Amino acid sequence: MVYALDIQRGGIGGDETVNFVVGRHDTGSACTNGWARPVYDAGEAKLELHDRSVFTRGDTEPSLYTREELFTALWDRITTVLAH
């Protein structure tokens, strides 16, 4: 396996969140690289991402992403890892 991306419902942020596990990891291991919850920002649906290492290393402030922005950021991370 070169790369893995698991997106799971629930996790550290509760049942209303999605949990991200990126990179290589053991199947069944309890780990997280970040979690997100749905929010509305100026009437637009977004995900508030609490990034432990999904895109960066340990941001302390959550970031807001539209679904298009989130997909683009995830795709950029995957292609960057694969290029190395």
Side-chain angles (χ1 to χ4, degrees), residues 31-45:
C31 57
T32 185
N33 297 100
W35 59 275
R37 67 181 183 97
V39 296
Y40 281 96
D41 181 49
E44 184 177 14

Side-chain angles (χ1 to χ4, degrees), residues 55-73:
F55 304 126
T56 61
R57 295 283 173 203
D59 282 349
T60 56
E61 295 296 319
S63 301
L64 293 178
Y65 290 91
T66 63
R67 66 180 165 200
E68 293 84 5
E69 292 167 339
L70 181 64
F71 177 81
T72 298

Side-chain angles (χ1 to χ4, degrees), residues 9-24:
R9 180 173 175 243
I12 195 170
D15 286 343
E16 72 281 0
T17 65
V18 290
N19 182 53
F20 295 91
V21 181
V22 295
R24 296 180 186 188

